[in-house]
Amino acid sequence: MRKIYKVAIVGATGLVGRTILKVLEEKNFTNVKYTLFSSEKSAGQKIEFLGQNYIVCKLEENSFDQGFDFAIFSAGAEVAKKFAPIAVNKGTIVIDNSSFYRMNKGVPLVVPEVNPQKIFENNGIIANPNCSTIQAVLPIKALNDKYSIKRIVFSTYQAVSGAGKKGIDDLKSQNNGLYFNNCVPHIDVFLDNGYTKEEMKVVNETRKILHLDEDVKISCTAARVPVFNGHSEAVDIEFGKEITPDEVRSILENAYGVKVIDNPENYEYPTTRDASGVNPVFVGRIRKNLAFNNGISLWCVADNIRIGAALNTVRICKKVIEMGLF
C-alpha cells in the first residue's frame, strides 16, 4: 500500500504560500494529507484547495505533535528560526523558503535540477534559495558543466512582488508609492561592503549551490523595478576558454527548465510577460561580452514567485521522496 504523506504548509495565506498550493494542485499529488498553518492574524481563514475547503490553523509550538513527514515553510526568517527546529525534533523534514538557514554550513541549499545530491546532507532542514539565484543557476549550471566559469556579474531587475503584498500595493498606489515610474537600486539592507543583503545573497548562494571556489569572482547589483511579477537579470559570464554565442544557445536549448527566445532581428527576446505564471526560465540576448576575455552576456527572465519560490520548493519535496529519504 502506498504511503500517505502528511504535509504542513506554514504561511499558507501569503503570496508564496498560495502559489505553493496552486503548484501542488497542478502536480496532483494524490497520496498526501495537508494541514495549512498561518499566524494568528490569518488563522481561521478558509482556502479552497484540491476541491475542498481547508480551515487555516494557527501555528503554535505544539502544531507538529501530530507527526508530519514534511513541513513547507514560507513565513519569513523569524518563524523559520523559531518553529523549524521544533518541527525537526518531531521527525519532520523542513523545506524553508526564508533566508535564515541558506548559508548555514549544516543546511543544504538546493535547486533539484542543479545539485540534488546535496539533499542527502540534510539534518532535517533543506533551504530554498533566493528567487534571483534560482533562475540564474539553472542556465549557469548547464554552461559551467561544459565550460568552466571564471567570473560572473549579475544585474537584477526585480518585480515588486518580491517585496510581498506591500510591494504590490505600493505599485498599485501609483504616484503615492516608491515603485511607480521608478527604478530603485536598493533591495534589503546595506552592508559594510556597500552591497545590499539581497546582492550578497545572489553572490553567496550562487557560489554555494554551484560549489564555486573563491577564484571565481562574482558581483551583483540589484534594483527594484515597476513590474508586478517576474524578475529579469542581465548576466555577464567569463569562461576559462573561448565559447561562442551559438554554442551557448545550443547548450541552453538542451538545459532542464530553460527556454531560449533569442531572435533580436525580429524583436524576439524574453520579457516578464512571457514568464509570468509559467515554469521555464527564459534566456535571450545571447552575445559576446565586449569587456571580458571569453565572455558571454545574456538576459534571463522568470516568474519570481513561481520559479523563485513555490515550484522549487515542491520539486525539493518530490525529490526527497524519489531519493527514498522518507
Side-chain angles (χ1 to χ4, degrees), residues 38 93 118 267 297 316:
S38 72
I93 290 181
K118 289 294 180 180
Y267 308 105
S297 296
I316 291 172

Side-chain angles (χ1 to χ4, degrees), residues 16-210:
V16 173
R18 288 180 181 272
T19 307
I20 288 171
L21 297 179
K22 183 178 180 181
V23 171
L24 288 169
E25 283 187 316
E26 294 169 1
K27 297 297 183 183
N28 193 27
F29 295 140
T30 57
N31 58 327
V32 180
K33 180 181 178 181
Y34 296 98
T35 304
L36 311 187
F37 292 100
S38 72
S39 65
E40 183 175 11
K41 180 180 178 181
S42 299
Q45 288 188 24
K46 290 183 180 180
I47 293 182
E48 186 175 343
F49 174 51
L50 293 170
Q52 58 181 297
N53 286 322
Y54 281 75
I55 303 296
V56 180
C57 304
K58 178 185 174 183
L59 182 66
E60 299 178 304
E61 291 189 10
N62 65 354
S63 293
F64 299 98
D65 290 354
Q66 52 191 293
F68 292 101
D69 297 305
F70 298 96
I72 295 174
F73 275 66
S74 188
E78 289 303 312
V79 172
K81 177 183 178 181
K82 178 178 178 179
F83 287 97
I86 295 173
V88 171
N89 286 336
K90 296 296 182 178
T92 302
I93 290 181
V94 171
I95 303 167
D96 180 38
N97 269 296
S98 81
S99 62
F100 188 77
Y101 294 103
R102 288 177 187 157
M103 297 311 298
N104 187 313
K105 290 184 178 180
V107 176
L109 183 64
V110 174
V111 177
E113 300 74 31
V114 175
N115 60 341
Q117 71 284 353
K118 289 294 180 180
I119 288 175
F120 285 110
E121 299 176 11
N122 86 81
N123 292 305
I125 300 174
I126 302 169
N128 195 57
N130 183 44
C131 49
S132 300
T133 307
I134 291 173
Q135 76 179 67
V137 296
L138 280 169
I140 291 173
K141 166 65 162 56
L143 296 172
N144 192 48
D145 283 348
K146 297 284 187 178
Y147 296 83
S148 296
I149 288 173
K150 293 178 61 179
R151 177 164 33 177
I152 311 171
V153 178
F154 295 97
S155 298
T156 73
Y157 307 84
Q158 300 189 27
V160 297
S161 57
K165 184 177 182 297
K166 65 179 181 180
I168 294 173
D169 291 343
D170 183 286
L171 182 55
K172 284 181 177 178
S173 71
Q174 298 193 359
N175 287 326
N176 293 322
L178 174 65
Y179 299 132
F180 178 74
N181 198 31
N182 202 12
C183 183
V184 183
H186 176 193
I187 302 176
D188 215 319
V189 298
F190 283 101
L191 304 175
D192 291 342
N193 64 358
Y195 285 77
T196 64
K197 189 175 180 181
E198 175 73 13
E199 290 161 349
M200 293 310 300
K201 286 178 189 176
V202 175
V203 171
N204 295 327
E205 292 177 22
T206 299
R207 191 180 303 283
K208 181 175 180 178
I209 293 167
L210 296 177

Side-chain angles (χ1 to χ4, degrees), residues 307-319:
I307 299 299
L311 184 62
N312 198 69
T313 299
V314 173
R315 284 174 172 169
I316 291 172
C317 190
K318 184 172 182 287
K319 183 63 71 173

Side-chain angles (χ1 to χ4, degrees), residues 252-271:
L252 296 183
E253 282 169 354
N254 293 287
Y256 182 92
V258 176
K259 182 174 181 179
V260 176
I261 303 176
D262 193 28
N263 189 9
E265 294 83 1
N266 293 322
Y267 308 105
E268 293 175 358
Y269 37 72
T271 69

Side-chain angles (χ1 to χ4, degrees), residues 24 73 124 176 231 281 285 289:
L24 288 169
F73 275 66
N176 293 322
H231 286 357
V281 173
R285 296 294 318 280
N289 182 285

